[in-house]
Amino acid sequence: MKSVSNRSLFSATFSFTIAEMKLIHLPIFALLVSGILCQYDYDEYFRYFDSANLQGSTYPVCSVECDCPLQFPTAMYCNQRRLKTIPMVPSQIKYLYLQNNQLTGIPSGAFENATDLRWLILDDNQITSDNVGKNVFSKLKSLQRLYINNNNLTDVVRSLPKSLVELKLSSNKISKIGNGLKGLENLTTLVLYGNKLNDVGGSLSGLKSLSYLDLSGNKLTKLPDDPPPAVEMFYINDNKLKSIPKNYFSKLRILQYLRMSHNELTDEGIPEKIFNITSLIELDLAFNELKSIPLVNENLENLYLQANKIDKFNLASFCRVTSVVDFSRIRHLRLDGNNLTRSSLPYEMVQCLRLAGEVTF
């Protein structure tokens, strides 16, 4: 009886298991069928999506040597491809990146189709002035930014469009500007750092909108004639300047940052009130040949005079009058590397430089 009971129990259990498996198989089968149907729909969806995109031409046309991101179809990235020639540039491209290649020139027809270019980056190549097409940039009426840093240019590229806002030609071999900047009335930034300029003459006089000018790291023995009146940041470090013409900065009414470190400026070469500029915030005269502190405006906040030959602290250079409302706005003052000692500092300095948070001797 017991055996029969066990057999019956086993039979019942086995029957339940089979029934369960059947029940389980049904949804699995349904899922498989559904998956097949979904796969079909999935493939159909992408065939439709691709077809729709192709018909609408949303996929960017791109040179085979470069990348044109789907999410940014007006940009073409050709940087770091070891290119020796400029690839074909499609008409819809507005932003072209060609830095870090082996380009030696820019043919006249390089941008024949892409006349709507806005940004053109050609840094870190081997481009020479002789291999730049005469009118290669003249048709780019919408070009705003042109960077040709770290190349082998010997003069400023010609026929630049009036639309240009930024021009950066640092670390080349440029020894002359000539008429290369003529007509660029919208240019706001000009960087010619690290070239071989001896004299720029009046080549900057027509740059009415220029606010940022960097002529550092050249061989200039004199400042540019007729500096652009809208300049706010004027950097001319690492040159061979010995003097500044009288009233030179009088037309620069919004000049805020003036850096003239690492030159050969002397007391005799600096007119008495040349740096009494109301708008000036920062003045850098470090690493020159100065023996005294030049007179500066009370509004100046940062003054760098380290590594000169200054042996006397003249309080009148900062404050003509000291009172409750009359005092210098200097916050950072560097005088280290001179011939000054703390004992040579006047007691009244505390009242004059009452905002100074950092004074280094």
Side-chain angles (χ1 to χ4, degrees), residues 208 210-211 226-234 247-258 274-281 297 299:
K208 298 179 180 179
L210 196 69
S211 61
D226 300 320
V231 165
E232 297 179 26
M233 290 165 279
F234 188 6
N247 300 322
Y248 184 80
F249 300 112
S250 60
K251 294 181 180 179
L252 306 183
R253 300 186 183 279
I254 57 174
L255 181 64
Q256 296 185 29
Y257 299 89
L258 177 59
I274 193 68
F275 298 123
N276 188 16
I277 306 169
T278 306
S279 60
L280 202 61
I281 295 173
N297 193 270
N299 292 326

Side-chain angles (χ1 to χ4, degrees), residues 215-279:
L215 295 171
S216 301
N218 281 279
K219 299 180 179 180
L220 296 171
T221 56
K222 56 175 289 191
L223 289 164
D225 299 338
D226 300 320
V231 165
E232 297 179 26
M233 290 165 279
F234 188 6
Y235 302 156
I236 196 163
N237 305 321
D238 294 290
N239 278 283
K240 297 183 178 180
L241 302 175
K242 293 184 178 181
S243 62
I244 303 172
K246 188 176 181 180
N247 300 322
Y248 184 80
F249 300 112
S250 60
K251 294 181 180 179
L252 306 183
R253 300 186 183 279
I254 57 174
L255 181 64
Q256 296 185 29
Y257 299 89
L258 177 59
R259 297 180 181 175
M260 305 182 74
S261 67
H262 293 89
N263 277 283
E264 301 172 12
L265 294 171
T266 62
D267 290 1
E268 295 74 22
I270 297 180
E272 184 181 2
K273 298 181 180 180
I274 193 68
F275 298 123
N276 188 16
I277 306 169
T278 306
S279 60

Side-chain angles (χ1 to χ4, degrees), residues 3-4 24 29 88 105 128 143 156 178 210 228 265 272 291 330:
S3 176
V4 173
I24 291 169
F29 178 76
M88 186 276 296
T128 63
L143 190 64
V156 173
L210 196 69
L265 294 171
E272 184 181 2
K291 293 182 179 180
I330 287 286

Side-chain angles (χ1 to χ4, degrees), residues 136-155:
V136 67
F137 301 112
S138 61
K139 295 181 181 180
L140 305 180
K141 304 298 183 183
S142 299
L143 190 64
Q144 297 175 349
R145 290 171 173 82
L146 175 61
Y147 301 164
I148 318 181
N149 302 301
N150 296 301
N151 277 274
N152 296 317
L153 298 175
T154 52
D155 55 16

